[in-house]
Amino acid sequence: MINNYNHSKQKIYLVIRNIKFKLRLEQIISNKSTIGIIDYGAGNITSVANALNYLKVDNALISSADDIKKFSKVILPGVGSFERAMKLLKASNLDIGIKSFIENPNNRILGICLGMQLFYEFSEEDGGCEGLGIIKGTVNKLPVSIGVGQECHT
């Protein structure tokens, strides 16, 4: 009897947890604000846009520091070299736009893959490069023996 009680209690907990997750997801998606995708030449823009479109979330590309001001939710995707990505962000002043964007506590930004790494102060990749400095710390280079990137990009 006790065993059945604990099992039923666990099922109820899982159902409640699932309902809370679904409600939170609906709350995020139902907020009708458009999500901006930062397009700086080093991100997999199509994949991010396709994912948002699949979820029926309005989205638009951001290609300038002025454009970023139009949004309260932004995604910074990224693929490739840290140093090249930082150069591309700086060339279009998007680095300044991103730093200005995060000063508003109501704004939200999500970094995907290299985009998340760019938030850090520094990366050891390519002999070392400064990042956006939003997050304190360094992105450490993985040892070559790990086979970096071989499994991810095949």
Side-chain angles (χ1 to χ4, degrees):
M1 184 79 169
I2 293 173
N3 205 9
N4 284 341
Y5 173 75
N6 286 337
H7 184 66
S8 296
K9 189 176 174 183
Q10 186 177 25
K11 279 185 175 180
I12 291 169
Y13 170 75
L14 290 174
V15 169
I16 290 171
R17 193 174 76 174
N18 193 25
I19 290 170
K20 285 181 180 178
F21 173 76
K22 286 181 179 178
L23 288 173
R24 179 71 180 130
L25 184 61
E26 286 175 13
Q27 181 184 28
I28 291 168
I29 292 174
S30 69
N31 185 343
K32 295 297 181 186
S33 64
T34 301
I35 295 178
I37 305 169
I38 299 175
D39 182 5
Y40 61 107
N44 194 345
I45 306 304
T46 306
S47 293
V48 175
N50 286 342
L52 293 173
N53 290 336
Y54 177 80
L55 295 170
K56 296 179 176 42
V57 175
D58 291 335
N59 61 85
L61 296 182
I62 297 170
S63 56
S64 73
D66 286 335
D67 287 347
I68 201 169
K69 297 173 186 174
K70 301 173 188 172
F71 299 90
S72 63
K73 296 175 190 171
V74 169
I75 297 175
L76 177 63
V79 176
S81 161
F82 189 101
E83 183 178 30
R84 179 175 175 273
M86 280 305 301
K87 285 180 181 177
L88 290 168
L89 284 173
K90 288 179 179 182
S92 58
N93 290 323
L94 280 164
D95 60 328
I96 296 166
I98 291 168
K99 290 176 185 179
S100 176
F101 176 83
I102 64 161
E103 288 177 5
N104 181 337
N106 296 318
N107 287 346
R108 301 291 180 253
I109 189 165
L110 169 68
I112 299 176
C113 201
L114 175 61
M116 180 65 189
Q117 293 177 29
L118 295 171
F119 293 154
Y120 283 85
E121 295 173 306
F122 191 81
S123 172
E124 293 178 348
E125 184 182 327
D126 299 322
C129 179
E130 283 189 27
L132 293 167
I134 296 168
I135 299 174
K136 291 189 183 299
T138 297
V139 177
N140 297 313
K141 186 176 179 180
L142 294 173
V144 177
S145 63
I146 292 179
V148 178
Q150 295 172 359
E151 295 82 20
C152 297
H153 303 287
T154 55

